[in-house]
């Protein structure tokens, strides 16, 4: 599958075909990680589950900051 690098505003980008996005269950707004390889680059969906878990942990730590400090003593 080929695509062309296009001018998008002040940047350049590629347009991914809709059938490819459908097959990979991707949509506008999803994040892709760019991985440089010996042969070029690959695009991989970002697994944001870890970041979501860390955000939930931060919220709990903020909410129970005093209790956690007491437990740490």
């Amino acid at each position: 599958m080929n695509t062309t690098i296009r001018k998008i505003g002040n940047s350049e980008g590629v347009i991914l075909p809709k059938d490819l996005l459908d097959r990979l269950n991707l949509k506008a707004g999803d994040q892709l990680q760019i991985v440089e390889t010996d042969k070029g680059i690959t695009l991989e969906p970002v697994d944001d589950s870890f970041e979501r878990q860390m955000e939930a942990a931060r919220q709990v730590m903020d909410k129970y900051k005093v209790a956690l400090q007491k437990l740490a003593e």
Side-chain angles (χ1 to χ4, degrees), residues 6 9-10 17 21 24 30 39 43-44 46-48 51 54 56-57 61 64 66-70:
R6 301 172 192 256
N10 291 332
L21 296 174
L24 297 174
D30 287 349
K39 294 184 178 186
L43 300 176
E44 299 175 0
V46 173
D47 179 10
D48 68 343
E51 186 54 42
M54 288 302 296
M61 288 186 288
Y64 298 105
V66 174
L68 292 171
Q69 287 173 340
K70 293 286 184 185

Side-chain angles (χ1 to χ4, degrees), residues 59-73:
Q59 290 174 359
V60 167
M61 288 186 288
D62 286 344
K63 184 175 182 179
Y64 298 105
K65 183 176 183 176
V66 174
L68 292 171
Q69 287 173 340
K70 293 286 184 185
L71 287 171
E73 292 176 358

